[in-house]
Amino acid sequence: MNRVLVAVDGSKGSRACIDACVRLFAGRTPPAVTLLHVLRYGGPSSVDGLSSDAELAELRQALEGTPQLESLQAKAETALATQRALFEKHGFRDLHTVIRSGRAAEGILNAAVEFDAELIVIGNTRSLIDKLMLGDVAHQVSNGAAIPVLLAR
């Protein structure tokens, strides 16, 4: 395995992704890792509820240049930097960071294709109530992926 996509958001699920990769690749040359953060405008479920790409594009345009978007970008960069440092601490050297926006599951699946990933690693640590109320990105990714998906706990 040479290329892995790891979806991170700064949650405990992100830490579980690192732990899973460290265990999975222990004693081997670590693969190239793309760390992906998908910005979700307006909270976890807002973007997933938009009915069309046109509505999503309109929301993206409305947020362009606003303090809210700058705050989301800063949080994403912090989450990626933290995760990158933890991967480096465990010997991973070929690391790339990417920030996208939109629907989380769709962004993860598209990035996996774009970066020719051979494995997607995503945290799966939310409670059942959270999954029922807000949806479950990990479930959507595992159902939609054409490559193996590791759900990290």
Side-chain angles (χ1 to χ4, degrees), residues 35 38 95 100 116 133 147:
L35 297 166
V38 180
L95 298 163
R100 296 288 162 80
D116 200 24
M133 292 180 65
I147 60 173

Side-chain angles (χ1 to χ4, degrees), residues 42-54:
S45 62
S46 298
V47 171
D48 295 329
L50 294 177
S51 62
S52 71
D53 289 337

Side-chain angles (χ1 to χ4, degrees), residues 8 22 32 40 53-54 61 63 68 77 80 88 90 106 126 130 136 139 146:
V8 298
V22 167
R40 296 204 251 174
D53 289 337
Q61 185 177 14
L63 286 173
Q68 292 87 354
E77 290 169 8
L80 287 169
E88 288 172 343
H90 291 287
E106 185 178 300
R126 291 177 47 205
D130 285 345
D136 186 8
H139 180 75

Side-chain angles (χ1 to χ4, degrees), residues 2-147:
N2 297 314
R3 292 171 307 283
V4 175
L5 177 74
V6 179
V8 298
D9 63 2
S11 68
K12 65 181 179 178
S14 296
R15 179 57 198 228
C17 291
I18 295 167
D19 294 341
C21 285
V22 167
R23 286 191 310 272
L24 184 62
F25 298 105
R28 297 183 242 179
T29 302
V33 174
T34 299
L35 297 166
L36 171 70
H37 182 94
V38 180
L39 296 175
R40 296 204 251 174
Y41 307 131
S45 62
S46 298
V47 171
D48 295 329
L50 294 177
S51 62
S52 71
D53 289 337
E55 289 176 325
L56 183 57
E58 186 177 324
L59 178 58
R60 185 179 297 127
Q61 185 177 14
L63 286 173
E64 192 97 8
T66 65
Q68 292 87 354
L69 183 58
E70 290 174 11
S71 175
L72 287 172
Q73 290 272 9
K75 287 178 184 176
E77 290 169 8
T78 298
L80 287 169
T82 300
Q83 305 308 323
R84 181 184 186 103
L86 290 169
F87 268 105
E88 288 172 343
K89 177 181 171 187
H90 291 287
F92 289 76
R93 297 290 175 251
D94 191 357
L95 298 163
H96 308 278
T97 58
V98 178
I99 298 174
R100 296 288 162 80
S101 62
R103 296 175 185 92
E106 185 178 300
I108 293 165
L109 293 170
N110 289 341
V113 171
E114 178 182 346
F115 297 107
D116 200 24
E118 298 169 284
L119 173 69
I120 299 170
V121 181
I122 186 169
N124 189 30
T125 57
R126 291 177 47 205
S127 71
L128 179 59
I129 291 174
D130 285 345
K131 290 175 185 179
L132 291 172
M133 292 180 65
L134 301 173
D136 186 8
V137 173
H139 180 75
Q140 293 171 14
V141 170
S142 64
N143 284 339
I147 60 173

